[in-house]
Amino acid sequence: MAKNFENLEHLLGGYFHQDWDVEGANDAEVISAFQRTEPVKRIEVTIAEIDHILQLFTGDASKIEELLTAWGCEYYYQTDGLSGQEWLQRVRSLLMEPEL
């Protein structure tokens, strides 16, 4: 499945890895770093991949959680009171905004 979502996996594993806070103090700052360093096309495809994941697993929170973990996401979005699905929706929303 990862091959179908390589851009999202790049964001989660490459920016929200174990030392994610090197890129920023919170998820919004990390997303801003992603926007500054990655090509626009990669950002657009990442948004499309998030849309696809959210559509595929609507109502299956455990599957989304499994994918986030499998792709190397170390950001603890639960501290923000969010489920994996809600956090992916937030990530999508942040990607749609102009960078900080």
Side-chain angles (χ1 to χ4, degrees), residues 5-44:
F5 302 101
E6 65 186 43
N7 294 285
L8 180 55
E9 183 177 7
H10 174 72
L11 170 60
L12 298 176
Y15 287 81
F16 286 102
H17 52 74
Q18 177 177 329
D19 298 320
W20 65 266
D21 56 348
V22 170
E23 298 290 345
N26 56 47
D27 60 349
E29 290 181 9
V30 174
I31 293 295
S32 183
F34 179 76
Q35 290 173 309
R36 281 191 310 275
T37 57
E38 299 296 336
V40 172
K41 182 65 177 171
R42 173 166 257 174
I43 295 166
E44 292 170 349

Side-chain angles (χ1 to χ4, degrees), residues 20-88:
W20 65 266
D21 56 348
V22 170
E23 298 290 345
N26 56 47
D27 60 349
E29 290 181 9
V30 174
I31 293 295
S32 183
F34 179 76
Q35 290 173 309
R36 281 191 310 275
T37 57
E38 299 296 336
V40 172
K41 182 65 177 171
R42 173 166 257 174
I43 295 166
E44 292 170 349
V45 173
T46 301
I47 292 167
E49 290 175 0
I50 292 171
D51 289 342
H52 194 145
I53 288 290
L54 292 172
Q55 181 183 21
L56 276 176
F57 302 112
T58 298
D60 191 352
S62 64
K63 185 60 177 176
I64 291 175
E65 304 279 339
E66 288 173 24
L67 289 173
L68 293 175
T69 300
W71 289 334
C73 180
E74 294 285 336
Y75 181 77
Y76 196 67
Y77 45 84
Q78 296 89 338
T79 300
D80 299 329
L82 301 174
S83 68
Q85 180 175 342
E86 292 167 331
W87 186 67
L88 272 184

